[in-house]
Amino acid sequence: NNNPLKKGGEDIGFRCDSIIFKNRQQYSPAENTIFDIITGVISTNPDDNAYKIYIKDIVKHIGYNDEKYIYRILKKDFDKLKKKPLLIDIPGKADDAEPMEISWWLLCDYNSAEDCKKKGKPDNAHIVIIPTPFFKLLTLSSTIMHGAHYSIEISSSIIGKYARNLYYILESRKKYRDCGLRQNIFKQVLQKYEEIIGVSDENNKQ
């Protein structure tokens, strides 16, 4: 098996650091929820080349009592997410250099409940995705690259944009060891967190 499975099933998401740090600001909480669902399925099924994700099967992984929530955000935010490429830092470039934009899908489509109802299968709303090889490599790197493993149920219940960003960062710090080998203890100056989470100067003033 050239792609060892991450720990957990489709309800556990994984993002390597390069996906967390450069892409946290451009996604809304709803778009992040959709992205979490997609990465959770891909990283659980490494040998597949194409993925068909039925919405009725993932509702149980979402941290909302309202089962229609995921249908609403897919209808509203799926096309927005599709238009946003991955942002990756280019090694060796200056700190203020623009990140490289990389497409993360070759095919990505959402068949809504309304579309499926016309075909006589209203409960078959689904996402179809064929990821690019590079995006799939990043998504399957949970045993190789440092990143965050997290519960999609918990992440999807965090509505605030900055709170969601902070959650991904803190999850990536699990099993962290400092120079004194103290596990799960680390220090970070507040200004650095403002930069990491994506809080703007205007928000700081407020």
Side-chain angles (χ1 to χ4, degrees):
N1 186 351
N2 294 324
N3 299 310
L5 292 176
K6 72 174 188 312
K7 294 181 179 180
E10 294 182 358
D11 56 331
I12 300 297
F14 170 75
R15 296 193 189 193
C16 63
D17 285 347
S18 61
I19 294 181
I20 294 174
F21 292 114
K22 276 298 175 187
N23 296 276
R24 66 193 183 280
Q25 297 179 42
Q26 69 163 350
Y27 294 161
S28 69
E31 291 166 349
N32 265 317
T33 295
I34 300 170
F35 195 78
D36 286 344
I37 291 168
I38 291 172
T39 55
V41 171
I42 292 175
S43 58
T44 305
N45 303 280
D47 295 321
D48 294 348
N49 295 315
Y51 300 86
K52 193 172 186 178
I53 307 170
Y54 286 97
I55 311 308
K56 62 184 178 182
D57 293 335
I58 60 176
V59 166
K60 60 181 177 292
H61 301 324
I62 305 302
Y64 285 83
N65 293 325
D66 180 2
E67 292 189 356
K68 295 182 179 179
Y69 165 79
I70 187 61
Y71 292 91
R72 290 199 301 271
I73 69 168
L74 280 166
K75 183 176 182 179
K76 178 182 176 182
D77 296 278
F78 183 81
D79 286 337
K80 296 178 185 177
L81 176 63
K82 282 179 59 177
K83 297 175 182 177
K84 296 181 178 180
L86 286 181
L87 303 179
I88 305 292
D89 271 334
I90 304 173
K93 292 287 186 178
D95 292 339
D96 58 350
E98 291 295 322
M100 181 168 50
E101 295 186 356
I102 298 175
S103 177
W104 54 277
W105 54 269
L106 297 173
L107 170 67
C108 194
D109 191 28
Y110 171 54
N111 292 269
S112 68
E114 289 82 0
D115 293 335
C116 293
K117 186 176 182 180
K118 295 176 183 176
K119 300 176 183 178
K121 298 181 179 179
D123 294 332
N124 280 7
H126 60 276
I127 296 170
V128 176
I129 179 169
I130 299 177
T132 60
F134 184 72
F135 173 62
K136 185 175 180 181
L137 178 66
L138 290 179
T139 305
L140 298 181
S141 65
S142 64
T143 59
I144 303 170
M145 299 176 68
H146 185 265
H149 293 82
Y150 51 89
S151 164
I152 294 176
E153 180 179 358
I154 294 176
S155 67
S156 64
S157 68
I158 302 173
I159 299 176
K161 177 179 179 179
Y162 299 123
R164 181 82 72 98
N165 292 342
L166 180 60
Y167 174 73
Y168 292 135
I169 298 299
L170 293 178
E171 284 295 306
S172 75
R173 294 293 187 175
K174 283 185 175 179
K175 298 185 179 179
Y176 172 91
R177 288 184 181 273
D178 68 4
C179 296
L181 299 181
R182 296 176 301 169
Q183 186 168 332
N184 297 330
I185 299 176
F186 62 93
K187 295 180 180 179
Q188 190 75 266
V189 295
L190 181 59
Q191 288 78 8
K192 185 64 176 178
Y193 265 116
E194 291 172 351
E195 175 186 343
I196 289 174
I197 297 171
V199 179
S200 67
D201 291 339
E202 186 63 32
N203 284 327
N204 291 340
K205 294 175 184 177
Q206 296 175 1

Short mmCIF file of all heavy atoms in Angstrom, two decimals, residues 1-60:
data_model
loop_
_atom_site.label_atom_id
_atom_site.label_comp_id
_atom_site.label_asym_id
_atom_site.label_seq_id
_atom_site.Cartn_x
_atom_site.Cartn_y
_atom_site.Cartn_z
N ASN A 1 0.86 -1.18 0.00
CA ASN A 1 0.00 0.00 0.00
C ASN A 1 0.90 1.23 0.00
O ASN A 1 1.52 1.56 1.00
CB ASN A 1 -0.90 -0.02 1.23
CG ASN A 1 -1.92 1.11 1.20
OD1 ASN A 1 -1.85 1.98 0.36
ND2 ASN A 1 -2.84 1.07 2.14
N ASN A 2 0.96 1.93 -1.12
CA ASN A 2 1.81 3.11 -1.22
C ASN A 2 1.21 4.33 -0.54
O ASN A 2 1.88 5.34 -0.37
CB ASN A 2 2.08 3.44 -2.69
CG ASN A 2 2.91 2.37 -3.37
OD1 ASN A 2 3.80 1.80 -2.75
ND2 ASN A 2 2.62 2.10 -4.63
N ASN A 3 -0.06 4.25 -0.17
CA ASN A 3 -0.73 5.37 0.47
C ASN A 3 -1.34 4.91 1.80
O ASN A 3 -2.52 4.60 1.87
CB ASN A 3 -1.85 5.92 -0.43
CG ASN A 3 -1.33 6.43 -1.75
OD1 ASN A 3 -0.38 7.20 -1.79
ND2 ASN A 3 -1.93 5.98 -2.84
N PRO A 4 -0.53 4.84 2.85
CA PRO A 4 -1.06 4.37 4.13
C PRO A 4 -2.18 5.27 4.63
O PRO A 4 -2.14 6.49 4.46
CB PRO A 4 0.16 4.43 5.06
CG PRO A 4 1.09 5.40 4.41
CD PRO A 4 0.87 5.24 2.95
N LEU A 5 -3.19 4.65 5.21
CA LEU A 5 -4.36 5.40 5.65
C LEU A 5 -4.02 6.29 6.84
O LEU A 5 -3.19 5.96 7.67
CB LEU A 5 -5.47 4.43 6.07
CG LEU A 5 -6.13 3.61 4.98
CD1 LEU A 5 -7.13 2.64 5.60
CD2 LEU A 5 -6.83 4.51 3.97
N LYS A 6 -4.69 7.42 6.89
CA LYS A 6 -4.59 8.25 8.09
C LYS A 6 -5.38 7.56 9.20
O LYS A 6 -6.16 6.63 8.95
CB LYS A 6 -5.20 9.63 7.82
CG LYS A 6 -6.72 9.61 7.71
CD LYS A 6 -7.28 11.00 7.59
CE LYS A 6 -8.78 11.04 7.67
NZ LYS A 6 -9.52 10.12 6.84
N LYS A 7 -5.22 8.00 10.41
CA LYS A 7 -6.00 7.45 11.51
C LYS A 7 -7.43 7.98 11.41
O LYS A 7 -7.66 9.13 11.09
CB LYS A 7 -5.38 7.86 12.84
CG LYS A 7 -4.00 7.26 13.10
CD LYS A 7 -3.46 7.68 14.44
CE LYS A 7 -2.10 7.06 14.68
NZ LYS A 7 -1.53 7.47 15.99
N GLY A 8 -8.37 7.10 11.70
CA GLY A 8 -9.77 7.52 11.65
C GLY A 8 -10.37 7.29 10.28
O GLY A 8 -9.69 6.96 9.31
N GLY A 9 -11.68 7.47 10.19
CA GLY A 9 -12.40 7.26 8.94
C GLY A 9 -12.75 8.57 8.28
O GLY A 9 -12.05 9.57 8.43
N GLU A 10 -13.85 8.58 7.54
CA GLU A 10 -14.24 9.75 6.77
C GLU A 10 -14.68 10.92 7.63
O GLU A 10 -14.81 12.05 7.12
CB GLU A 10 -15.35 9.36 5.78
CG GLU A 10 -14.88 8.38 4.71
CD GLU A 10 -15.96 8.02 3.71
OE1 GLU A 10 -17.10 8.53 3.89
OE2 GLU A 10 -15.68 7.27 2.77
N ASP A 11 -14.91 10.67 8.92
CA ASP A 11 -15.30 11.77 9.81
C ASP A 11 -14.08 12.47 10.41
O ASP A 11 -14.24 13.41 11.20
CB ASP A 11 -16.21 11.26 10.92
CG ASP A 11 -15.60 10.12 11.72
OD1 ASP A 11 -14.78 9.38 11.14
OD2 ASP A 11 -15.92 9.98 12.91
N ILE A 12 -12.88 12.02 10.04
CA ILE A 12 -11.65 12.67 10.49
C ILE A 12 -10.98 13.34 9.30
O ILE A 12 -10.67 12.69 8.30
CB ILE A 12 -10.67 11.66 11.12
CG1 ILE A 12 -11.32 10.98 12.33
CG2 ILE A 12 -9.38 12.35 11.53
CD1 ILE A 12 -11.68 11.92 13.47
N GLY A 13 -10.79 14.64 9.40
CA GLY A 13 -10.13 15.38 8.33
C GLY A 13 -8.64 15.46 8.57
O GLY A 13 -8.16 15.28 9.69
N PHE A 14 -7.90 15.73 7.50
CA PHE A 14 -6.46 15.98 7.63
C PHE A 14 -6.07 17.11 6.68
O PHE A 14 -6.48 17.13 5.52
CB PHE A 14 -5.62 14.75 7.30
CG PHE A 14 -4.15 15.07 7.18
CD1 PHE A 14 -3.40 15.30 8.32
CD2 PHE A 14 -3.53 15.18 5.95
CE1 PHE A 14 -2.05 15.65 8.24
CE2 PHE A 14 -2.19 15.52 5.85
CZ PHE A 14 -1.45 15.76 7.00
N ARG A 15 -5.28 18.03 7.19
CA ARG A 15 -4.68 19.07 6.36
C ARG A 15 -3.22 19.19 6.73
O ARG A 15 -2.88 19.39 7.91
CB ARG A 15 -5.36 20.42 6.57
CG ARG A 15 -6.82 20.47 6.17
CD ARG A 15 -7.30 21.90 6.12
NE ARG A 15 -8.75 21.96 5.94
CZ ARG A 15 -9.39 23.06 5.61
NH1 ARG A 15 -8.74 24.19 5.41
NH2 ARG A 15 -10.71 23.06 5.47
N CYS A 16 -2.35 19.06 5.75
CA CYS A 16 -0.94 19.30 6.02
C CYS A 16 -0.74 20.80 6.22
O CYS A 16 -1.58 21.61 5.84
CB CYS A 16 -0.04 18.75 4.91
SG CYS A 16 -0.30 19.53 3.31
N ASP A 17 0.38 21.17 6.82
CA ASP A 17 0.60 22.57 7.18
C ASP A 17 0.50 23.51 5.98
O ASP A 17 0.00 24.64 6.09
CB ASP A 17 1.97 22.74 7.84
CG ASP A 17 1.97 22.23 9.28
OD1 ASP A 17 0.88 21.98 9.82
OD2 ASP A 17 3.07 22.07 9.85
N SER A 18 0.97 23.07 4.82
CA SER A 18 0.96 23.96 3.65
C SER A 18 -0.47 24.29 3.23
O SER A 18 -0.72 25.36 2.68
CB SER A 18 1.71 23.31 2.48
OG SER A 18 1.11 22.10 2.10
N ILE A 19 -1.42 23.40 3.48
CA ILE A 19 -2.82 23.69 3.17
C ILE A 19 -3.43 24.58 4.25
O ILE A 19 -4.24 25.47 3.97
CB ILE A 19 -3.64 22.39 3.03
CG1 ILE A 19 -3.16 21.60 1.80
CG2 ILE A 19 -5.13 22.70 2.90
CD1 ILE A 19 -3.93 20.32 1.58
N ILE A 20 -3.03 24.37 5.50
CA ILE A 20 -3.59 25.16 6.59
C ILE A 20 -3.17 26.62 6.48
O ILE A 20 -3.99 27.53 6.46
CB ILE A 20 -3.14 24.62 7.96
CG1 ILE A 20 -3.70 23.22 8.22
CG2 ILE A 20 -3.58 25.57 9.08
CD1 ILE A 20 -3.16 22.59 9.49
N PHE A 21 -1.88 26.85 6.41
CA PHE A 21 -1.37 28.19 6.66
C PHE A 21 -1.65 29.17 5.53
O PHE A 21 -1.86 30.35 5.78
CB PHE A 21 0.13 28.13 6.95
CG PHE A 21 0.44 27.47 8.26
CD1 PHE A 21 1.10 26.26 8.32
CD2 PHE A 21 0.03 28.05 9.45
CE1 PHE A 21 1.37 25.65 9.53
CE2 PHE A 21 0.28 27.45 10.67
CZ PHE A 21 0.95 26.24 10.71
N LYS A 22 -1.65 28.74 4.29
CA LYS A 22 -1.87 29.68 3.20
C LYS A 22 -3.33 29.74 2.75
O LYS A 22 -3.70 30.65 2.03
CB LYS A 22 -0.98 29.31 2.01
CG LYS A 22 0.42 29.88 2.12
CD LYS A 22 0.38 31.40 2.15
CE LYS A 22 1.73 32.00 2.38
NZ LYS A 22 1.68 33.46 2.58
N ASN A 23 -4.14 28.80 3.14
CA ASN A 23 -5.51 28.75 2.63
C ASN A 23 -6.56 29.07 3.69
O ASN A 23 -7.74 29.11 3.37
CB ASN A 23 -5.78 27.38 2.01
CG ASN A 23 -4.90 27.12 0.80
OD1 ASN A 23 -5.22 27.53 -0.30
ND2 ASN A 23 -3.79 26.45 1.00
N ARG A 24 -6.12 29.29 4.92
CA ARG A 24 -7.08 29.50 6.00
C ARG A 24 -7.91 30.75 5.79
O ARG A 24 -9.08 30.81 6.16
CB ARG A 24 -6.33 29.58 7.33
CG ARG A 24 -5.45 30.81 7.41
CD ARG A 24 -4.47 30.77 8.56
NE ARG A 24 -3.71 32.02 8.62
CZ ARG A 24 -2.68 32.29 7.85
NH1 ARG A 24 -2.27 31.39 6.98
NH2 ARG A 24 -2.04 33.43 7.93
N GLN A 25 -7.30 31.81 5.19
CA GLN A 25 -7.99 33.09 5.11
C GLN A 25 -8.96 33.18 3.94
O GLN A 25 -9.91 33.94 3.98
CB GLN A 25 -6.96 34.22 5.01
CG GLN A 25 -6.07 34.33 6.23
CD GLN A 25 -5.05 35.44 6.08
OE1 GLN A 25 -5.37 36.51 5.60
NE2 GLN A 25 -3.83 35.18 6.49
N GLN A 26 -8.70 32.43 2.89
CA GLN A 26 -9.53 32.61 1.69
C GLN A 26 -10.82 31.81 1.73
O GLN A 26 -11.70 32.03 0.91
CB GLN A 26 -8.72 32.25 0.44
CG GLN A 26 -8.40 30.77 0.29
CD GLN A 26 -7.98 30.46 -1.13
OE1 GLN A 26 -8.09 31.29 -2.03
NE2 GLN A 26 -7.50 29.25 -1.34
N TYR A 27 -10.96 30.88 2.66
CA TYR A 27 -12.18 30.07 2.75
C TYR A 27 -13.09 30.58 3.87
O TYR A 27 -12.63 30.87 4.97
CB TYR A 27 -11.85 28.60 3.02
CG TYR A 27 -11.11 27.90 1.91
CD1 TYR A 27 -10.41 26.72 2.17
CD2 TYR A 27 -11.09 28.39 0.62
CE1 TYR A 27 -9.73 26.05 1.15
CE2 TYR A 27 -10.43 27.74 -0.40
CZ TYR A 27 -9.74 26.57 -0.13
OH TYR A 27 -9.06 25.94 -1.14
N SER A 28 -14.38 30.64 3.58
CA SER A 28 -15.36 30.94 4.62
C SER A 28 -15.56 29.68 5.46
O SER A 28 -15.16 28.59 5.05
CB SER A 28 -16.69 31.36 3.98
OG SER A 28 -17.29 30.23 3.33
N PRO A 29 -16.19 29.79 6.65
CA PRO A 29 -16.45 28.58 7.44
C PRO A 29 -17.24 27.52 6.67
O PRO A 29 -16.95 26.33 6.78
CB PRO A 29 -17.25 29.12 8.63
CG PRO A 29 -16.74 30.52 8.80
CD PRO A 29 -16.51 31.02 7.40
N ALA A 30 -18.24 27.95 5.88
CA ALA A 30 -19.02 26.99 5.10
C ALA A 30 -18.16 26.31 4.04
O ALA A 30 -18.25 25.10 3.84
CB ALA A 30 -20.21 27.68 4.45
N GLU A 31 -17.31 27.08 3.36
CA GLU A 31 -16.42 26.50 2.36
C GLU A 31 -15.42 25.56 3.00
O GLU A 31 -15.09 24.51 2.44
CB GLU A 31 -15.69 27.63 1.61
CG GLU A 31 -16.61 28.44 0.72
CD GLU A 31 -16.00 29.74 0.25
OE1 GLU A 31 -14.94 30.14 0.78
OE2 GLU A 31 -16.58 30.37 -0.65
N ASN A 32 -14.95 25.91 4.20
CA ASN A 32 -14.05 25.01 4.92
C ASN A 32 -14.73 23.70 5.28
O ASN A 32 -14.10 22.64 5.24
CB ASN A 32 -13.54 25.69 6.20
CG ASN A 32 -12.20 26.38 6.00
OD1 ASN A 32 -11.30 25.84 5.36
ND2 ASN A 32 -12.06 27.57 6.54
N THR A 33 -16.02 23.75 5.62
CA THR A 33 -16.75 22.53 5.93
C THR A 33 -16.81 21.61 4.72
O THR A 33 -16.57 20.40 4.82
CB THR A 33 -18.18 22.86 6.41
OG1 THR A 33 -18.12 23.58 7.65
CG2 THR A 33 -19.00 21.59 6.62
N ILE A 34 -17.12 22.17 3.55
CA ILE A 34 -17.15 21.37 2.32
C ILE A 34 -15.76 20.80 2.03
O ILE A 34 -15.63 19.62 1.68
CB ILE A 34 -17.63 22.23 1.14
CG1 ILE A 34 -19.04 22.77 1.40
CG2 ILE A 34 -17.64 21.40 -0.15
CD1 ILE A 34 -19.50 23.82 0.40
N PHE A 35 -14.74 21.63 2.19
CA PHE A 35 -13.36 21.19 1.94
C PHE A 35 -12.97 20.06 2.90
O PHE A 35 -12.32 19.09 2.52
CB PHE A 35 -12.42 22.38 2.09
CG PHE A 35 -11.05 22.16 1.52
CD1 PHE A 35 -10.85 22.25 0.14
CD2 PHE A 35 -9.97 21.88 2.32
CE1 PHE A 35 -9.59 22.06 -0.40
CE2 PHE A 35 -8.70 21.69 1.80
CZ PHE A 35 -8.51 21.78 0.43
N ASP A 36 -13.38 20.18 4.17
CA ASP A 36 -13.09 19.13 5.15
C ASP A 36 -13.73 17.80 4.75
O ASP A 36 -13.11 16.74 4.88
CB ASP A 36 -13.61 19.54 6.54
CG ASP A 36 -12.75 20.60 7.20
OD1 ASP A 36 -11.61 20.81 6.75
OD2 ASP A 36 -13.22 21.21 8.18
N ILE A 37 -14.95 17.86 4.29
CA ILE A 37 -15.66 16.65 3.87
C ILE A 37 -14.92 15.98 2.72
O ILE A 37 -14.69 14.76 2.72
CB ILE A 37 -17.11 16.98 3.47
CG1 ILE A 37 -17.92 17.38 4.70
CG2 ILE A 37 -17.76 15.80 2.76
CD1 ILE A 37 -19.27 18.00 4.37
N ILE A 38 -14.52 16.77 1.73
CA ILE A 38 -13.82 16.23 0.56
C ILE A 38 -12.49 15.61 0.95
O ILE A 38 -12.17 14.49 0.55
CB ILE A 38 -13.62 17.34 -0.49
CG1 ILE A 38 -14.97 17.74 -1.10
CG2 ILE A 38 -12.67 16.88 -1.59
CD1 ILE A 38 -14.90 18.96 -2.01
N THR A 39 -11.70 16.31 1.77
CA THR A 39 -10.40 15.78 2.16
C THR A 39 -10.54 14.56 3.06
O THR A 39 -9.72 13.64 3.00
CB THR A 39 -9.55 16.85 2.87
OG1 THR A 39 -10.28 17.38 3.99
CG2 THR A 39 -9.20 17.98 1.93
N GLY A 40 -11.59 14.53 3.90
CA GLY A 40 -11.81 13.37 4.76
C GLY A 40 -12.09 12.11 3.96
O GLY A 40 -11.59 11.03 4.29
N VAL A 41 -12.86 12.25 2.89
CA VAL A 41 -13.19 11.10 2.04
C VAL A 41 -11.97 10.66 1.23
O VAL A 41 -11.65 9.47 1.14
CB VAL A 41 -14.36 11.43 1.11
CG1 VAL A 41 -14.56 10.32 0.07
CG2 VAL A 41 -15.64 11.60 1.92
N ILE A 42 -11.25 11.62 0.64
CA ILE A 42 -10.08 11.27 -0.18
C ILE A 42 -9.02 10.58 0.66
O ILE A 42 -8.46 9.55 0.26
CB ILE A 42 -9.50 12.53 -0.85
CG1 ILE A 42 -10.47 13.07 -1.90
CG2 ILE A 42 -8.15 12.22 -1.51
CD1 ILE A 42 -10.03 14.37 -2.53
N SER A 43 -8.72 11.12 1.84
CA SER A 43 -7.66 10.56 2.67
C SER A 43 -8.02 9.21 3.26
O SER A 43 -7.15 8.46 3.71
CB SER A 43 -7.28 11.53 3.79
OG SER A 43 -8.41 11.84 4.59
N THR A 44 -9.31 8.87 3.27
CA THR A 44 -9.75 7.56 3.77
C THR A 44 -9.76 6.51 2.67
O THR A 44 -9.74 5.30 2.95
CB THR A 44 -11.16 7.68 4.39
OG1 THR A 44 -11.15 8.71 5.39
CG2 THR A 44 -11.59 6.38 5.06
N ASN A 45 -9.79 6.95 1.43
CA ASN A 45 -9.86 6.02 0.29
C ASN A 45 -8.72 6.33 -0.69
O ASN A 45 -8.96 6.83 -1.80
CB ASN A 45 -11.21 6.14 -0.40
CG ASN A 45 -12.37 5.90 0.56
OD1 ASN A 45 -12.72 4.76 0.86
ND2 ASN A 45 -12.97 6.98 1.05
N PRO A 46 -7.47 6.04 -0.31
CA PRO A 46 -6.32 6.49 -1.10
C PRO A 46 -6.17 5.85 -2.47
O PRO A 46 -5.52 6.42 -3.34
CB PRO A 46 -5.13 6.14 -0.20
CG PRO A 46 -5.62 4.98 0.62
CD PRO A 46 -7.06 5.29 0.89
N ASP A 47 -6.75 4.69 -2.67
CA ASP A 47 -6.55 3.98 -3.93
C ASP A 47 -7.56 4.37 -5.01
O ASP A 47 -7.42 3.96 -6.16
CB ASP A 47 -6.60 2.46 -3.70
CG ASP A 47 -5.45 1.99 -2.82
OD1 ASP A 47 -4.34 2.52 -2.99
OD2 ASP A 47 -5.68 1.12 -1.97
N ASP A 48 -8.57 5.16 -4.64
CA ASP A 48 -9.55 5.61 -5.62
C ASP A 48 -9.01 6.79 -6.43
O ASP A 48 -8.21 7.58 -5.92
CB ASP A 48 -10.85 6.02 -4.93
CG ASP A 48 -11.55 4.84 -4.26
OD1 ASP A 48 -11.16 3.70 -4.53
OD2 ASP A 48 -12.49 5.09 -3.47
N ASN A 49 -9.44 6.89 -7.66
CA ASN A 49 -9.05 8.01 -8.51
C ASN A 49 -10.16 9.05 -8.65
O ASN A 49 -9.91 10.21 -8.92
CB ASN A 49 -8.65 7.52 -9.90
CG ASN A 49 -7.41 6.65 -9.86
OD1 ASN A 49 -6.44 6.99 -9.19
ND2 ASN A 49 -7.44 5.53 -10.57
N ALA A 50 -11.40 8.59 -8.46
CA ALA A 50 -12.56 9.48 -8.51
C ALA A 50 -13.42 9.19 -7.29
O ALA A 50 -13.44 8.08 -6.76
CB ALA A 50 -13.36 9.25 -9.80
N TYR A 51 -14.13 10.20 -6.83
CA TYR A 51 -14.88 10.08 -5.59
C TYR A 51 -16.31 10.59 -5.79
O TYR A 51 -16.53 11.66 -6.37
CB TYR A 51 -14.20 10.88 -4.47
CG TYR A 51 -12.80 10.39 -4.20
CD1 TYR A 51 -11.72 10.88 -4.94
CD2 TYR A 51 -12.55 9.44 -3.22
CE1 TYR A 51 -10.43 10.43 -4.72
CE2 TYR A 51 -11.27 8.99 -2.98
CZ TYR A 51 -10.22 9.48 -3.73
OH TYR A 51 -8.94 9.02 -3.51
N LYS A 52 -17.26 9.80 -5.31
CA LYS A 52 -18.66 10.18 -5.34
C LYS A 52 -19.14 10.19 -3.89
O LYS A 52 -19.20 9.14 -3.24
CB LYS A 52 -19.48 9.18 -6.17
CG LYS A 52 -20.88 9.65 -6.52
CD LYS A 52 -21.55 8.69 -7.51
CE LYS A 52 -22.89 9.20 -7.98
NZ LYS A 52 -23.51 8.28 -8.98
N ILE A 53 -19.44 11.37 -3.40
CA ILE A 53 -19.75 11.56 -1.99
C ILE A 53 -21.23 11.87 -1.85
O ILE A 53 -21.70 12.95 -2.25
CB ILE A 53 -18.92 12.70 -1.39
CG1 ILE A 53 -17.42 12.48 -1.67
CG2 ILE A 53 -19.18 12.84 0.10
CD1 ILE A 53 -16.55 13.68 -1.33
N TYR A 54 -22.01 10.93 -1.30
CA TYR A 54 -23.44 11.14 -1.12
C TYR A 54 -23.68 11.98 0.14
O TYR A 54 -23.14 11.67 1.21
CB TYR A 54 -24.18 9.81 -1.01
CG TYR A 54 -24.30 9.09 -2.34
CD1 TYR A 54 -23.40 8.10 -2.71
CD2 TYR A 54 -25.31 9.44 -3.23
CE1 TYR A 54 -23.51 7.46 -3.94
CE2 TYR A 54 -25.43 8.81 -4.46
CZ TYR A 54 -24.52 7.82 -4.81
OH TYR A 54 -24.64 7.20 -6.02
N ILE A 55 -24.48 13.01 -0.01
CA ILE A 55 -24.69 13.94 1.09
C ILE A 55 -25.37 13.25 2.28
O ILE A 55 -25.05 13.52 3.43
CB ILE A 55 -25.54 15.15 0.64
CG1 ILE A 55 -24.95 15.74 -0.65
CG2 ILE A 55 -25.61 16.20 1.73
CD1 ILE A 55 -23.47 16.05 -0.58
N LYS A 56 -26.28 12.33 2.01
CA LYS A 56 -26.98 11.65 3.10
C LYS A 56 -26.02 10.82 3.95
O LYS A 56 -26.29 10.56 5.12
CB LYS A 56 -28.07 10.74 2.53
CG LYS A 56 -27.56 9.63 1.62
CD LYS A 56 -28.71 8.84 1.02
CE LYS A 56 -28.21 7.76 0.07
NZ LYS A 56 -29.32 7.00 -0.55
N ASP A 57 -24.86 10.45 3.38
CA ASP A 57 -23.89 9.65 4.13
C ASP A 57 -22.97 10.51 5.00
O ASP A 57 -22.31 9.99 5.91
CB ASP A 57 -23.02 8.83 3.17
CG ASP A 57 -23.82 7.75 2.44
OD1 ASP A 57 -24.86 7.32 2.99
OD2 ASP A 57 -23.41 7.36 1.33
N ILE A 58 -22.89 11.81 4.70
CA ILE A 58 -21.97 12.65 5.46
C ILE A 58 -22.68 13.56 6.45
O ILE A 58 -22.02 14.20 7.27
CB ILE A 58 -21.10 13.52 4.51
CG1 ILE A 58 -21.99 14.43 3.66
CG2 ILE A 58 -20.22 12.65 3.64
CD1 ILE A 58 -21.22 15.36 2.77
N VAL A 59 -24.01 13.60 6.39
CA VAL A 59 -24.76 14.45 7.32
C VAL A 59 -24.41 14.11 8.76
O VAL A 59 -24.29 14.99 9.62
CB VAL A 59 -26.28 14.30 7.07
CG1 VAL A 59 -27.07 14.90 8.23
CG2 VAL A 59 -26.68 14.98 5.77
N LYS A 60 -24.20 12.83 9.04
CA LYS A 60 -23.92 12.41 10.41
C LYS A 60 -22.57 12.90 10.91
O LYS A 60 -22.30 12.89 12.11
CB LYS A 60 -23.97 10.88 10.52
CG LYS A 60 -22.99 10.14 9.64
CD LYS A 60 -23.14 8.63 9.80
CE LYS A 60 -22.21 7.85 8.88
NZ LYS A 60 -22.58 8.00 7.46
#
